[in-house]
Amino acid sequence: ETVATEVAKLQAGQASALHPADPRARLRAHELEAAAALVARLTAAVAPLEKLDHRKPQGLAALAAAHRKVVEALSDDGADGIVAFAGPDGGALLDTFESLVDEAAAETFLVATEDYAELFRTAVADRVVRPPPVAGARLHILGLLEARLVTVDRFVLGGLAEGVWPPAAASDPWLSRGMRHALGLDLPERRIGLSAHDFAQLAGSAPEVVMTRPGKIGGAPVAASRFLQRLAAVAGPAWKDVVRRGEAYLDFARKLDRPAGPPKRVARPEPKPPRDVRPVSLSVTEIEHWLRDPYTIYAKHILKLAPLDPVDLPPGAKDRGIAIHAAIGTFCERYATALPDDPLEALLDIGRQEFEKLDDTPEARAFWWPRFTEIARWFVRFERERRADGTVVTAEIKGALDIPLGEGRAFRLRARADRIERHPDGSFAILDFKTGAPPSSKQVRLGLSPQLTLEGAILRGGGFDGLPPGAGLAEIAYVRLTGGDPAGECCPVDLETQSADAAAEAALGKLIGLVKKFDDPETPYRSLVLSMWKSRYGTYDDLARVKEWSTGEGGGE
């Protein structure tokens, strides 16, 4: 129902409520139609389970029958039939459904609907599915009882490690040895005796026997099985000849893993796409990716790869930030010229509308809403202080600045400023809201986090609609909103001896150089150029194989 509602909203043109970076905001009409059709098919497929009354226990037979219908509907492949029931594992699944229906119908066993999934997992957990025999196969992997029923030329007895063969004798936390004996239950040591019998039967039942054991299990060294140790003690000097013959097999295994040459680390990726596919428009927030990890820009804008969240992913810090950011942005837009009579209640009303999207996860809303109320109280005080001298606020304003590239081409720098303030003296301040940790002043001064300075360059260049070109920049600052103690904090960027105008001009100059550099088709989009961490940066690290080429690397760049 949630997905269907979301698709309906998008089809109705309400995608503007989404963040511009959200892939859903870029879905086209035919893609939305396909999504709606898929939702309709899924709704029909899961209807047998959805129609059950979840408020009271249901018979296991009814639950299993409805579950089987859902599986059949989801895996009906037309000409190939029900693919979920094909093959040995599919046959075992079908047998499970039939046994549950038959046994439950006879006993009318009632199950709470929320417990059915765990019950079904328990029902299928002990079912063994063996692959069908392969005609002419010369190798068979068998269990102990199966192996004792066949006659072969060579047996390989594997896993001869203490704790594996024989298995460890587990102590019973509920029944003592005396209790087990009184109840007629086997003692724990009986399993060791049975495995010793299996070992003796198999070790003497073939013309040739190969005994093997692992050196480690789970990374930890393990001792040889007591059976092997006892056999070595009985064999005496002849055991050395047995071990020597086994070395031939170990040498075969080592040769399989022996590389042809010395190990060589994989090279750092350096893709060089042609100029006509390189991006000619980026947002100010993406310039930091371009500086620190150009490979992110390559994967996102040239390969056009967008990461997909797992299905049913619970809301996280990103969702919290979007809700808080949207509420603050809407409040600033709605009351740009003057605050309402009760700004706190107005902001909380807007926040309630944004947090409605979290109603499906009440635990997240219960945790984040109190924090937002603290943010709202702090933000109202912040607003009153900032506007006390007649400052005019412009919120969520879009802007752009073109950088000529020659041959009639240009690179467009885009921005969506959270907040631009116009002071009575005609100067401006640019503020950006962060629900996480903002960049440090040093990172801004060094040009590694140029979001605000580039927004200042756009402002000075007249790139924001309604704001005059050549405007003087008095301040750039981050506003951190956490809901903790304190709930919020204004963090002006300390530019030391440099003015905000000069910092904006310097950032624009560096960007022009970066744009011209990457306009050259010979410039590669390398990974981890100026990353804050040596072996990771962000979303596309796996694609860039960072862990492979960065291992053992020197100081790096």
Side-chain angles (χ1 to χ4, degrees):
E1 291 178 358
T2 302
V3 177
T5 302
E6 192 75 16
V7 172
K9 287 182 178 179
L10 291 171
Q11 287 182 309
Q14 298 179 15
S16 57
L18 297 172
H19 191 277
D22 194 317
R24 293 175 296 173
R26 300 190 294 271
L27 290 175
R28 291 169 289 184
H30 72 277
E31 293 170 326
L32 291 172
E33 291 176 3
L38 177 60
V39 170
R41 292 175 59 194
L42 290 174
T43 302
V46 301
L49 281 174
E50 291 288 336
K51 290 179 179 178
L52 294 175
D53 188 352
H54 300 280
R55 296 170 297 180
K56 60 182 181 180
Q58 299 288 328
L60 179 58
L63 283 168
H67 186 189
R68 175 177 175 175
K69 291 179 181 178
V70 171
V71 172
E72 291 176 347
L74 291 175
S75 62
D76 189 352
D77 198 26
D80 295 331
I82 310 300
V83 295
F85 298 150
D89 51 349
L93 176 61
L94 182 59
D95 290 342
T96 302
F97 279 124
E98 291 177 346
S99 63
L100 286 177
V101 171
D102 293 342
E103 295 170 8
E107 300 177 7
T108 61
F109 184 60
L110 295 178
V111 180
T113 54
E114 62 269 20
D115 296 335
Y116 172 71
E118 186 62 34
L119 189 149
F120 184 80
R121 278 192 290 268
T122 303
V124 299
D126 61 349
R127 292 183 177 265
V128 178
V129 180
R130 302 192 184 282
V134 179
R138 300 175 61 192
L139 174 66
H140 301 274
I141 300 176
L142 305 173
L144 296 178
L145 293 178
E146 296 168 307
R148 287 168 54 185
L149 299 176
V150 299
T151 301
V152 295
D153 298 325
R154 179 183 293 113
F155 263 131
V156 178
L157 309 185
L160 286 168
E162 192 66 20
V164 179
W165 191 359
S171 59
D172 194 324
W174 307 110
L175 297 176
S176 66
R177 298 173 64 86
M179 292 177 179
R180 294 182 65 89
H181 181 71
L183 293 172
L185 299 176
D186 288 337
L187 297 178
E189 290 78 5
R190 176 172 169 78
R191 295 182 63 203
I192 296 178
L194 290 175
S195 62
H197 180 257
D198 293 331
F199 175 80
Q201 291 286 327
L202 295 174
S205 61
E208 184 178 353
V209 178
V210 180
M211 302 179 189
T212 70
R213 72 175 184 91
K216 293 182 178 181
I217 294 179
V222 292
S225 168
R226 66 187 68 180
F227 303 153
L228 281 182
Q229 297 183 45
R230 180 63 176 165
L231 193 58
V234 172
W239 186 252
K240 293 182 179 180
D241 186 54
V242 172
V243 174
R244 180 185 56 78
R245 292 200 303 270
E247 282 292 334
Y249 295 101
L250 292 177
D251 187 54
F252 292 153
R254 295 187 187 107
K255 286 181 178 179
L256 289 175
D257 295 331
R258 189 175 299 145
K264 183 179 179 182
R265 187 174 61 243
V266 66
R268 184 197 302 225
E270 296 186 353
K272 298 178 181 178
R275 188 170 68 171
D276 58 348
V277 300
R278 297 188 174 216
V280 291
S281 178
L282 292 175
S283 68
V284 291
T285 55
E286 291 176 315
I287 300 303
E288 183 169 351
H289 298 322
W290 211 3
L291 290 167
R292 293 185 179 275
D293 188 60
Y295 193 88
T296 294
I297 300 299
Y298 169 74
K300 182 177 180 180
H301 292 279
I302 298 175
L303 299 183
K304 301 188 183 304
L305 298 177
L308 296 177
D309 292 331
V311 176
D312 249 1
L313 180 71
K318 178 182 176 182
D319 303 274
R320 178 195 63 186
I322 290 174
I324 294 174
H325 197 282
I328 296 295
T330 302
F331 178 85
C332 293
E333 279 187 288
R334 189 173 297 175
Y335 305 106
T337 56
L339 293 176
D341 295 336
D342 189 347
L344 177 59
E345 188 56 35
L347 180 53
L348 291 176
D349 282 342
I350 296 172
R352 291 186 189 98
Q353 296 173 19
E354 295 297 333
F355 274 77
E356 281 181 359
K357 301 169 186 175
L358 302 176
D359 285 346
D360 290 336
T361 52
E363 65 278 4
R365 182 188 175 96
F367 181 73
W368 292 342
W369 178 253
R371 289 176 173 264
F372 178 74
T373 58
E374 293 300 317
I375 290 173
R377 292 187 180 95
W378 178 89
F379 188 74
V380 167
R381 296 194 299 269
F382 170 80
E383 279 282 40
R384 284 172 173 158
E385 292 173 4
R386 298 290 295 191
R387 302 194 192 198
D389 59 355
T391 294
V392 178
V393 172
T394 304
E396 300 295 331
I397 180 173
K398 294 182 179 180
L401 186 66
D402 291 335
I403 299 174
L405 293 175
E407 301 176 3
R409 300 169 62 250
F411 176 88
R412 169 157 289 193
L413 176 67
R414 296 176 283 105
R416 185 185 180 95
D418 287 352
R419 178 180 176 119
I420 298 179
E421 298 178 348
R422 185 170 187 170
H423 297 158
D425 61 0
S427 62
F428 288 82
I430 298 178
L431 279 65
D432 188 73
F433 300 113
K434 298 288 186 185
T435 53
S440 66
S441 294
K442 183 178 181 180
Q443 291 171 343
V444 178
R445 288 197 303 270
L446 293 175
L448 296 178
S449 297
Q451 176 186 351
L452 292 184
T453 50
L454 288 177
E455 287 181 2
I458 296 174
L459 174 65
R460 289 173 53 79
F464 287 109
D465 292 339
L467 299 180
L473 195 58
E475 180 189 16
I476 55 175
Y478 290 101
V479 180
R480 190 180 183 191
L481 307 171
T482 63
D485 185 18
E489 181 183 11
C490 184
C491 308
V493 176
D494 182 7
L495 297 172
E496 294 185 344
T497 59
Q498 196 177 32
S499 68
D501 285 333
E505 289 299 321
L508 180 60
K510 288 183 178 180
L511 176 62
I512 291 173
L514 185 69
V515 168
K516 292 182 177 179
K517 174 184 176 182
F518 277 91
D519 194 46
D520 181 0
E522 293 303 314
T523 301
Y525 287 83
R526 304 184 74 191
S527 176
L528 300 188
V529 173
L530 291 171
S531 174
M532 293 175 63
W533 302 276
K534 179 180 177 182
S535 60
R536 62 186 177 91
Y537 179 77
T539 305
Y540 301 98
D541 287 351
D542 290 343
L543 186 64
R545 302 173 70 179
V546 167
K547 290 185 178 180
E548 297 181 40
W549 60 258
S550 65
T551 303
E553 196 175 56
E557 294 180 305

